[in-house]
Amino acid sequence: MSGPLPGHVVVVGASLAGLRAVTTARENGYTGHITLVGEESHLPYDRPPLSKEYLADGPLTTAHHLPDADTLADDLDVDVRTGTRATGIALDEHVLTLLEGEIQYDAALIATGVRARTLPGSDHLEGVHTLRSLDDAASVRAGLDAGARTVVIGAGFIGAEVASAARRRGLPATILEMQNAPLVRAVGSTAGTALAALHSRNGADLRCGVTVEALLGDRRVEAVRLGDGTEIAADLVVVGIGADPATEWLTSSGLGLDNGVVCDSTLHAGHDVWAAGDVAQWTNRLFDRRMRLEHWTNAGEQAAHAMVNLLDPPRATEYHHVPYFWSDWYGQRIQFAGLPIGEPVVVSGHWGGDAFVALYRECDRLIGALALNRRGDIMKYRALLARGADWNAALDLASRRNASAPIPA
């Protein structure tokens, strides 16, 4: 370390990013006081399994458990405050305000993540859920276990995983999407249309270009009414229409807020405050773009990087990251690395097949890669993206992969 260390570090947000931040501090020899503040009553847990293993039929999984979470207080000497919501921060005074009480800090790391969007006017209906928290997952699983007729609003990755869990139980599942193709922002319309075929192959009813007019029922949801008047019977409605950065508590703080907490390329938000995870918007010099990512891989890597910089600001380094995410539908693995810019080109397999790789190009640069059931390929393309490889290098890799691991016709 090149300067005096902060005596007290507070981390706001007790999910993966928050946990990774505090463990990184201890791994780097920081012996000062650490406070971890979390709004939920649970200790930090892993979110991706909530829409995957947790919803699966059979015994309840523990895949969402994070092994370091149980030892935070004893082994890592962290003051863990769960069930505690941050309501504001005074930057000049270095004071974090909680719903009950205040915390004086020397440096702060914000990792409050995002809040799932809800449908207005649906709060009074039982059986209507988002899927963001462990409690949400427990409610959705209970509905599936009870044999619910399931309607998913929004054909994103989480919604697709819920539909997959329903179909694997043999339950009817309908997916409603306002766009003409699913996943347009995530992978583009061409690739989204290709992936949508997985739903029809597995008996899910995907309806694109539709709007939801109302949820019907007195106490409990009974149906979903569409804009054209069609009514779809439902016992369980899962709303997957995106999420917003959890920054409402920072509105009057003086921090820059614009689709998240605005940071520089080192994840510094100013005033001895840093940010990481879903809530952080930063300049990713690797792609020369400002980004805010809601990806598991980014949350962990970014939180570790932010904490190292927080502990030694004079030696802070830029955070470079190749976006990466995955999703499991109907036993199939979808993976994406990079950015979905331009029209994708299939370089292995074909769009309608059980396995393929498609690449995205920006000028002469490889900018993104999408894979269906090609787990051995995607990280190789991600490595090319990290090096800023050109298009010819990507095609050369595709040729070599097709020769060593061909896709059956």
Side-chain angles (χ1 to χ4, degrees):
M1 304 293 179
S2 60
L5 292 172
H8 184 188
V9 174
V10 62
V11 177
V12 190
S15 192
L16 171 68
L19 177 62
R20 190 67 59 83
V22 299
T23 56
T24 297
R26 293 305 189 216
E27 288 167 357
N28 280 264
Y30 178 68
T31 58
H33 189 49
I34 299 177
T35 300
L36 178 64
V37 175
E39 185 173 353
E40 292 186 53
S41 60
H42 307 287
L43 287 171
Y45 57 86
D46 214 5
R47 294 190 190 276
L50 299 184
S51 57
K52 298 177 176 70
E53 294 93 338
Y54 195 94
L55 297 186
D57 198 8
L60 190 61
T61 180
T62 58
H64 60 287
H65 290 178
L66 292 170
D68 290 334
D70 295 334
T71 62
L72 277 169
D74 296 333
D75 293 357
L76 297 180
D77 190 25
V78 175
D79 179 7
V80 182
R81 305 194 189 185
T82 54
T84 304
R85 181 161 61 89
T87 58
I89 190 169
L91 301 175
D92 292 336
E93 294 80 9
H94 287 66
V95 172
L96 177 72
T97 305
L98 308 176
L99 198 57
E100 298 180 359
E102 296 179 342
I103 297 176
Q104 188 85 38
Y105 68 87
D106 295 300
L109 193 153
I110 296 172
T112 45
V114 296
R115 298 193 192 284
R117 296 174 189 149
T118 59
L119 283 181
S122 63
D123 292 346
H124 68 291
L125 288 174
E126 296 179 17
V128 180
H129 305 282
T130 57
L131 185 45
R132 175 69 187 169
S133 70
L134 181 57
D135 293 338
D136 293 337
S139 297
V140 172
R141 179 182 167 116
L144 294 173
D145 287 346
R149 296 167 296 179
T150 303
V151 173
V152 177
I153 301 175
F157 288 107
I158 296 238
E161 289 172 359
V162 172
S164 173
R167 291 301 304 138
R168 290 180 76 124
R169 285 172 166 81
L171 304 175
T174 302
I175 307 165
L176 306 175
E177 171 57 48
M178 185 171 60
Q179 300 289 333
N180 291 326
L183 305 170
V184 171
R185 291 182 61 189
V187 298
S189 58
T190 298
T193 299
L195 293 176
L198 292 173
H199 293 305
S200 60
R201 288 182 212 165
N202 289 276
D205 181 8
L206 171 64
R207 305 188 191 187
C208 293
V210 300
T211 58
V212 173
E213 181 179 278
L215 302 184
L216 308 180
D218 294 325
R219 182 181 62 85
R220 184 170 189 87
V221 68
E222 298 174 3
V224 178
R225 179 188 293 146
L226 303 184
D228 64 1
T230 301
E231 294 184 6
I232 304 170
D235 309 300
L236 172 66
V237 173
V238 178
V239 181
I241 55 175
D244 298 308
T247 57
E248 69 286 343
W249 64 284
L250 296 169
T251 301
S252 60
S253 67
L255 290 172
L257 302 178
D258 180 12
N259 185 32
V261 176
V262 177
C263 305
D264 64 17
S265 58
T266 71
L267 308 174
H268 186 213
H271 303 277
D272 298 315
V273 175
W274 307 73
D278 298 1
V279 76
Q281 188 210 116
W282 93 108
T283 301
N284 189 348
R285 301 289 185 198
L286 189 60
F287 293 93
D288 292 322
R289 287 173 170 83
R290 294 199 63 78
M291 294 183 180
R292 186 182 67 80
L293 301 175
E294 297 175 19
H295 302 162
W296 181 90
T297 305
N298 176 68
E301 294 177 0
Q302 195 172 47
H305 197 101
M307 179 55 73
V308 170
N309 284 347
L310 177 154
L311 294 175
D312 198 358
R315 295 184 180 176
T317 59
E318 293 185 337
Y319 175 65
H320 299 160
H321 179 78
V322 177
Y324 168 74
F325 63 84
W326 78 98
S327 187
D328 295 325
W329 307 1
Y330 314 105
Q332 315 298 308
R333 172 61 60 91
I334 300 164
Q335 296 167 286
F336 188 90
L339 304 177
I341 293 173
E343 188 69 14
V345 176
V346 176
V347 295
S348 301
H350 58 91
W351 283 126
D354 295 328
F356 62 74
V357 174
L359 303 181
Y360 298 72
R361 176 178 185 174
E362 184 177 50
C363 298
D364 194 40
R365 179 184 178 181
L366 173 69
I367 201 72
L370 169 69
L372 173 65
N373 294 326
R374 292 287 282 184
R375 301 190 189 199
D377 289 24
I378 197 69
M379 288 307 173
K380 298 180 187 300
Y381 287 107
R382 192 178 184 219
L384 286 185
L385 288 162
R387 298 200 300 267
D390 64 20
W391 186 247
N392 287 333
L395 295 181
D396 180 63
L397 173 58
S399 178
R400 287 185 276 115
R401 290 300 298 164
N402 290 338
S404 63
I407 296 176

